[in-house]
Amino acid sequence: MDAIISTDALAAFCDRAAKFDFVTVDTEFLRETTYWPKLCLIQAATDDEAVLIDPLASGIDLTPFFALLANPEVTKVFHAARQDVEIFVKLSGKVPVNIFDTQIAASVCGFGDSVSYDNLVRSITNVELDKSSRFTDWSARPLSEKQLTYALADVTYLRDIYRELRKQVDATKRWDWVEDELGVLRSIDTYVVQPDKAWERLKMKINRPRDLAALKVLAGWREKRAQDSDQPRSRILKDDVLFELAMQRPLTPEAFDKLRAVPRGFGRSSAAAEIMALLKDVEELGKAELPTMPERYRGPSPKGAVGDLIRVLLKSVSEQHGVAARIIATSDDIDALVLDDEADVAALKGWRRKLFGEKALAIKHGRVGLVATRKGIVEFPVAQAEAAE
């Protein structure tokens, strides 16, 4: 089988595809040594044809395909769309219009959390896919027949999966559940990391305002440097190095040499010079200019018994309604609602609040209890006289 390697052939396919209600889409890319994913292959299928598009072909212009992605009359069907969409946002500057993600739909239809494509193919079509080409070098040319066959299967079976999941979502009347999740994929903010927001991705805790100020500027510096040089963040500085620099704030090459997280001699590099200039600015900030730390919570620990009870409730609700637990509430959602009845989390909004959030708050305040039965976990009201706030 041959891939599309010319703009004219691509435009002809896109014209044909625009006449259909949906087109399935997938990509193959490399990212191990770059910040931005390198697009190596595009797969697409309509009801009556499936094609491979070679974005590395000499002279090919992907504009016709971007126009297809922007066509609101055609649903673009992906499985686990986030990375694929990120590639198209980087190349075209826009999020594809009218996206449908089969992984999201499957999670609200009882297939479990983050179900893989091959598992969905097996469950819905009874076909066992050969995934041995998954980790091959997609940038090498020519691509083998085995690679091309593997790649094409990622969009051909996706057609059957899409049709079946649409039926199931219709039958369960859960389109609002799917749409809530798709809203994240449709927002360009999901794919564009602003350097001044980069610190929010970091997981380690900071306890002092000046340390936090330093972490913010360091994370922003690393993000911009990674984007500009197209290198992974970890090749610029690893996360643990950022945290050590934020807390130690070395201002001389000699101070750098005393740190465990950076190699000896790093303090005399151009990168270290930029870091020291940033840290000097942080040291000169007045107290009023430092970021405000969140107030220390002194109530029940979200990792304690109350949080554990709410997690049991989540598992019970998930099983009862046949929807992946992560779609209803994340672990962070549960921690937040234990700390705050009005927490700004998805679990306390819309259909999730009706399904789970109200019950979680009732358990938190002792108005509802849980009991294990042969049929599973059952909720029961607790008399107000017995309720303990």
Side-chain angles (χ1 to χ4, degrees), residues 53 77 173 180 232 278 293:
I53 303 161
V77 181
K173 298 180 180 179
D180 274 2
L278 293 172
M293 303 297 290

Side-chain angles (χ1 to χ4, degrees), residues 79-80 101-104 106-107 111-124 128-129 131 134 154 158 161 165:
H79 181 81
D101 189 327
T102 55
Q103 188 176 73
I104 288 174
S107 70
F111 287 91
D113 183 17
S114 300
V115 61
S116 67
Y117 178 68
D118 47 320
N119 281 338
L120 266 186
V121 171
R122 186 183 307 113
S123 298
I124 291 176
E128 193 74 35
L129 294 179
K131 305 298 286 185
R134 179 180 298 177
D154 280 347
L158 191 54
I161 291 170
L165 289 176

Side-chain angles (χ1 to χ4, degrees), residues 15-37:
D15 286 343
R16 296 192 299 274
K19 296 178 173 64
F20 290 86
D21 292 334
F22 74 90
V23 58
T24 57
V25 182
D26 190 37
T27 66
E28 305 299 339
F29 58 90
L30 298 178
R31 198 174 196 166
E32 288 79 6
T33 61
T34 60
Y35 181 94
W36 307 106

Side-chain angles (χ1 to χ4, degrees), residues 17-276:
K19 296 178 173 64
F20 290 86
D21 292 334
F22 74 90
V23 58
T24 57
V25 182
D26 190 37
T27 66
E28 305 299 339
F29 58 90
L30 298 178
R31 198 174 196 166
E32 288 79 6
T33 61
T34 60
Y35 181 94
W36 307 106
K38 178 183 178 181
L39 179 61
C40 300
L41 192 68
I42 301 171
Q43 305 98 283
T46 63
D47 260 335
D48 66 354
E49 71 176 311
V51 301
L52 302 171
I53 303 161
D54 187 353
L56 302 182
S58 177
I60 194 168
D61 182 352
L62 296 179
T63 299
F65 193 74
F66 298 149
L68 177 63
L69 294 179
N71 186 340
E73 302 302 318
V74 181
T75 300
K76 271 64 70 174
V77 181
F78 297 85
H79 181 81
R82 193 171 210 138
Q83 292 192 82
D84 300 315
V85 173
E86 181 187 6
I87 291 171
F88 295 128
V89 170
K90 172 62 177 172
L91 294 176
S92 71
K94 298 178 181 179
V95 177
V97 176
N98 196 0
I99 295 172
F100 184 93
D101 189 327
T102 55
Q103 188 176 73
I104 288 174
S107 70
V108 304
C109 292
F111 287 91
D113 183 17
S114 300
V115 61
S116 67
Y117 178 68
D118 47 320
N119 281 338
L120 266 186
V121 171
R122 186 183 307 113
S123 298
I124 291 176
T125 71
N126 293 316
V127 172
E128 193 74 35
L129 294 179
D130 176 6
K131 305 298 286 185
S132 60
S133 296
R134 179 180 298 177
F135 299 112
T136 57
D137 182 359
W138 292 100
S139 66
R141 294 295 184 271
L143 294 171
S144 69
E145 199 70 19
K146 185 176 181 180
Q147 285 177 300
L148 297 176
T149 300
Y150 163 87
L152 211 56
D154 280 347
V155 288
T156 51
Y157 295 106
L158 191 54
R159 297 178 294 200
D160 297 324
I161 291 170
Y162 170 63
R163 293 188 190 96
E164 176 59 28
L165 289 176
R166 277 193 65 93
K167 290 179 185 176
Q168 293 194 27
V169 175
D170 280 335
T172 55
K173 298 180 180 179
R174 290 177 177 175
W175 277 109
D176 55 336
W177 300 19
V178 174
E179 287 296 318
D180 274 2
E181 294 300 305
L182 290 177
V184 176
L185 292 178
R186 291 167 178 162
S187 171
I188 198 166
D189 292 339
T190 300
Y191 311 101
V192 180
V193 179
Q194 300 295 341
D196 62 345
K197 300 285 188 181
W199 69 276
E200 296 175 355
R201 303 166 66 98
L202 301 171
K203 300 301 183 184
M204 295 173 68
K205 301 297 183 183
I206 289 286
N207 297 316
R208 296 179 297 185
R210 201 170 299 276
D211 293 351
L212 180 57
L215 183 65
K216 286 184 175 183
V217 299
L218 290 171
W221 171 85
R222 181 182 70 168
E223 197 73 21
K224 187 174 188 310
R225 196 176 178 98
Q227 291 177 356
D228 291 347
S229 62
D230 195 18
Q231 296 183 70
R233 297 179 188 92
S234 60
R235 288 202 176 185
I236 306 298
L237 285 178
K238 295 185 183 300
D239 288 356
D240 60 334
V241 178
L242 283 188
F243 279 92
E244 184 169 4
L245 290 173
M247 291 185 284
Q248 299 298 328
R249 297 193 293 282
L251 298 179
T252 66
E254 292 74 23
F256 265 95
D257 285 342
K258 295 179 181 179
L259 301 179
R260 295 170 55 189
V262 298
R264 182 165 292 277
F266 179 81
R268 290 169 178 77
S269 67
S270 60
E274 294 178 22
I275 290 171
M276 286 186 283

